[in-house]
Amino acid sequence: MKRFWKQAEVIAEAGSWGIALDGRPVRTPERAPLAVPTRALAEAIAAEWDAQGEDIDPASMPLTGLANAAIDLASPDPAAFAEPIAAYAESDLFCYRDDRDAALQAEQAAAWNPLLAWAEARHGVEFALAQGVLPVDQPPATIAALRAALLAHDPFRLTALTPLVTIGGSLVAGLALAEDAFTAEALWDAVSLDELYQERRWGADSEAQKARARREADWHHAARFLSLLGD
């Protein structure tokens, strides 16, 4: 698709902020108005449109894509949209520790225990830890509490949480970022710990590094989207 506008700008909508191209409001793929809750997010989305060259590259517009998903996919039924990531309460990455490498297990404990402790204090839950990869059942009360904490977020935050939880394999990490309990950088280091440890031990693989770089970029785009939504 070719660029057909000269200027993108933020426009006031009813209780929200939209984006217009040469005065014409932008719409989502489902033809709903592309309207977001904060001016800061709208300005960042408008900047993505302004930065396009002669050919439009959707991959260079991650905030626009997340906003479209929030409006078209999450808003009609937030609970159904959130269900796949709510399921991560049953198998959170931080509950699974290596059972063969003591050095890795020590690093996991140092990085992950504070995150689980935060979730326990914040949400009044307890976690069952597993040694190895065999599944461990989490207490039903923990699953219910984390699911409730997730569903308390609006469709825009749920949309940002989706890549964060799926990339990291951790609902705890997503909730911690959504609540500003830890930085995006610290949480990325935590969810990447196993991979980076193996890379230090066995050496780097260029394809694995490229794949991780793509995941890291997606992680930080989602984290930025969250931050632009404000409190």
Side-chain angles (χ1 to χ4, degrees), residues 6 16 30 42 48 52 63 76 87 95 102 107 125 159 161 166 185 200 205 224 228:
K6 293 182 179 179
S16 58
E30 294 297 324
E48 288 185 338
Q52 296 302 300
L63 303 179
C95 294
E107 289 195 22
V125 299
T159 300
L161 281 165
T166 54
E185 291 76 12
R200 292 199 310 271
D205 175 86
R224 184 179 177 219
L228 290 168

Side-chain angles (χ1 to χ4, degrees), residues 79-100:
F81 178 83
E83 198 56 42
I85 55 173
Y88 280 81
E90 302 173 20
S91 58
D92 198 284
L93 168 70
F94 299 153
C95 294
Y96 289 83
R97 309 301 170 86
D98 192 272
D99 60 347
R100 295 173 296 177

